[in-house]
Amino acid sequence: MTGYPPVNRQPSTVNRQPSAISRVSRISRASRSIIIYIQPTMTKKFPNAIKKEMQLLLLAARRPLDRQTCEAIRAIASEPINWTRLVNMAIAHKTPYLLFQSLKKAFPDAMPAHPALKDLEKRYFLHLRYSLRTTTYLLTILNQLAEKGILAVPFKGPTLSALAYGEPTLRPIGDLDVLVARSDAVETVDFLKAGGYQPEVELNAVQFNAYVSKKNGLALYNPIQQLSIDLHWEMSANYSFVPLTVEQFKDELIGLDLGGQTVSQPRMETILVYQCLHGMREGWPYVESLATIAGLISRHQLSMDWAEVTRIAQQWRCQRIMHLAFSLAGDLFDVPLPINVSKMLYDDPVARQLADEIKKDLLGSVHPGKINSMPFKFSSLHFRVRERWSEKIRYVRNVLFGTTAEDWRKFTLAGKLSFLHVILRPLRLGMKYFWGMGR
């Protein structure tokens, strides 16, 4: 985003940025005030440097999928397309199911004939069966925990897919993320272990109590069901300045229909800001991570309390992270934003500069996920996106001294000595990355 349109409360044409024509198209009375939305039109052109396959991938990841988007998909598909490259890019950027569904809607009679698209169709229906089976397991586990009096809140996975895309089966499922209270963590892990789940790190009772008090989650895997559960008692892995716990959200949970059953979810404003944090923590390596932001905004913009979104971002000290996410979603997916939110993005040149850098890497990337592969997951991007020096220092401190399950596996200490993991972590990192040891 390179320009900010002047406030104009009359129905008129405004410029969202010099190269794109936009129009004021929606007025919402959310939060007892009138909110003007900047609705980009489909006249915006993709830069010539972006390959046709990436253009098609970005269009296919938009939700809701309207008539204009389908027309744009058909227009690009009428040109020479490397369909094998497109499908491989969709898989790499975690959007193959969005791509397939979008092509089916854009070409209701017959999709373009190509072997790569036949393979994509097979992949889609295999995933559909797996996703439905996994969602059934998730609902069963939630019900069993509820019978024990444990409030368990699923997030990401099928619930995020339902909220962002309107269907629970359009995101890849690697594991199931579930949030419980820290006070329920031990009982929940014991329950899962009794059901055949194996924790990523084996600890005795004293050690595990120390682990729960110092860590924020534990991954467990069931080899029979071939299913992984990431159990959390804090959602952000300490990436937020405010602990994101079920205790913080329990008085404002909403209900979401998932497979015919109502499951608890944080309110939409919380989910949106959290996804900005989560995407930034991962480094925005995939198109799908931004498509979820775009989908949440596009599908819930009129019911969204934007003043509350801003307040949450301020409380969590992630305003620039939110600005960055919204800038990327706006630029790549033409997401309509309230005019006051657009002004915040314009007033944050650092976020706009970071957005340009991320777009350059993302749109030209054959193998996404570069930041995730960096030593200690350290990147200057994480450092620069923090607005205050106290936040920058805290980020570096967490990278160096924030222990992981790997640290607890490498150094088995008695529960009372678990504080030594903080000291041993820099030693392990040094051995691993500088001397090629400690693997």
Side-chain angles (χ1 to χ4, degrees):
M1 182 173 294
T2 58
Y4 168 67
V7 175
N8 188 343
R9 293 189 178 272
Q10 300 298 321
S12 62
T13 300
V14 296
N15 288 326
R16 181 169 176 265
Q17 52 185 5
S19 61
I21 300 175
S22 306
R23 69 181 184 276
V24 175
S25 66
R26 291 183 175 87
I27 298 180
S28 169
R29 297 189 179 275
S31 303
R32 300 182 180 179
S33 63
I34 296 178
I35 298 178
I36 307 296
Y37 286 87
I38 307 297
Q39 174 65 58
T41 70
M42 291 299 295
T43 59
K44 179 177 178 179
K45 300 292 185 182
F46 286 103
N48 292 330
I50 301 180
K51 294 183 181 297
K52 296 295 183 183
E53 292 80 12
M54 178 56 79
Q55 296 180 28
L56 194 51
L57 191 69
L58 292 173
L59 287 169
R62 295 185 181 189
R63 291 298 182 276
L65 194 65
D66 58 22
R67 178 180 58 81
Q68 286 181 309
T69 304
C70 286
E71 290 175 354
I73 289 174
R74 287 192 291 270
I76 296 179
S78 67
E79 304 176 19
I81 293 290
N82 187 329
W83 293 105
T84 301
R85 178 197 293 272
L86 173 63
V87 172
N88 288 337
M89 288 174 62
I91 294 170
H93 282 281
K94 301 190 175 183
T95 60
Y97 317 121
L98 288 168
L99 174 62
F100 175 78
Q101 191 184 74
S102 296
L103 290 175
K104 288 290 288 184
K105 185 171 182 179
F107 299 94
D109 297 327
M111 285 172 51
H114 193 278
L117 296 184
K118 288 291 185 183
D119 291 340
L120 179 64
E121 183 176 20
K122 293 177 183 177
R123 178 182 290 269
Y124 173 82
F125 284 107
L126 284 173
H127 166 76
L128 186 62
R129 289 194 291 270
Y130 175 75
S131 179
L132 293 174
R133 179 175 71 91
T134 303
T135 301
T136 300
Y137 284 137
L138 172 63
L139 294 174
T140 299
I141 289 171
L142 295 178
N143 289 334
Q144 291 172 337
L145 290 174
E147 291 174 0
K148 294 179 173 293
I150 296 174
L151 173 61
V153 179
F155 64 105
K156 297 190 287 187
T159 56
L160 180 58
S161 180
L163 291 169
Y165 305 139
E167 299 180 28
T169 58
L170 293 178
R171 298 186 73 239
I173 298 178
D175 48 44
L176 296 173
D177 292 89
V178 178
L179 179 69
V180 299
R182 190 181 298 269
S183 58
D184 291 327
V186 173
E187 184 178 358
T188 303
V189 169
D190 288 342
F191 162 76
L192 291 173
K193 288 172 67 175
Y197 285 85
Q198 302 170 358
E200 61 180 329
V201 54
E202 285 290 350
L203 302 169
N204 62 37
V206 176
Q207 290 172 325
F208 188 64
N209 282 325
Y211 181 92
V212 170
S213 67
K214 293 176 173 61
K215 293 300 300 166
N216 48 62
L218 180 71
L220 302 100
Y221 177 70
N222 189 318
I224 297 176
Q225 303 293 349
Q226 295 185 334
L227 185 64
S228 295
I229 291 181
D230 270 359
L231 186 68
H232 304 258
W233 40 97
E234 198 281 330
M235 291 172 64
S236 77
N238 293 329
Y239 199 70
S240 168
F241 263 66
V242 176
L244 309 185
T245 63
V246 75
E247 293 90 342
Q248 179 184 352
F249 305 137
K250 66 180 180 181
D251 293 332
E252 52 191 47
L253 293 174
I254 61 173
L256 171 69
D257 182 85
L258 185 66
Q261 180 175 319
T262 300
V263 299
S264 296
Q265 287 286 278
R267 57 183 171 173
M268 193 59 58
E269 293 80 7
T270 298
I271 291 173
L272 178 58
V273 180
Y274 168 74
Q275 283 305 129
C276 294
L277 263 179
H278 178 69
M280 183 64 245
R281 179 172 174 264
E282 298 295 321
W284 302 114
Y286 312 108
V287 166
E288 200 278 331
S289 59
L290 286 164
T292 55
I293 299 292
L296 290 172
I297 295 174
S298 297
R299 298 189 70 250
H300 304 281
Q301 56 181 298
L302 297 181
S303 60
M304 192 80 69
D305 185 341
W306 289 100
E308 182 64 11
V309 170
T310 302
R311 187 198 68 79
I312 293 172
Q314 291 172 342
Q315 181 187 14
W316 296 1
R317 299 192 193 180
C318 64
Q319 298 99 306
R320 178 164 292 156
I321 290 174
M322 183 183 73
H323 297 165
L324 173 58
F326 288 179
S327 292
L328 289 166
D331 289 346
L332 297 178
F333 299 99
D334 283 343
V335 171
L337 291 169
I339 201 166
N340 62 315
V341 175
S342 296
K343 183 179 186 304
M344 288 192 296
L345 308 189
Y346 177 77
D347 291 338
D348 193 342
V350 175
R352 296 203 312 276
Q353 180 182 351
L354 292 173
D356 289 340
E357 294 175 15
I358 291 173
K359 281 187 295 182
K360 182 179 178 181
D361 289 338
L362 187 70
L363 299 181
S365 119
V366 178
H367 302 291
K370 179 177 66 175
I371 288 179
N372 278 340
S373 66
M374 300 181 76
F376 331 136
K377 287 193 177 180
F378 180 82
S379 166
S380 63
L381 174 63
H382 291 292
F383 191 78
R384 292 157 62 200
V385 80
R386 296 298 187 179
E387 299 175 64
R388 304 172 183 86
W389 272 103
S390 60
E391 299 168 9
K392 298 176 189 289
I393 293 171
R394 183 179 185 271
Y395 164 69
V396 174
R397 185 190 68 195
N398 283 343
V399 168
L400 293 176
F401 301 106
T403 61
T404 65
E406 180 68 14
D407 298 303
W408 288 71
R409 274 196 300 268
K410 289 291 184 182
F411 304 106
T412 304
L413 303 173
K416 293 181 179 180
L417 298 177
S418 60
F419 68 91
L420 292 175
H421 282 114
V422 174
I423 301 172
L424 293 171
R425 174 173 169 78
L427 175 62
R428 183 182 72 82
L429 292 178
M431 293 170 64
K432 179 175 182 179
Y433 291 106
F434 296 109
W435 289 285
M437 301 168 58
R439 293 183 181 275

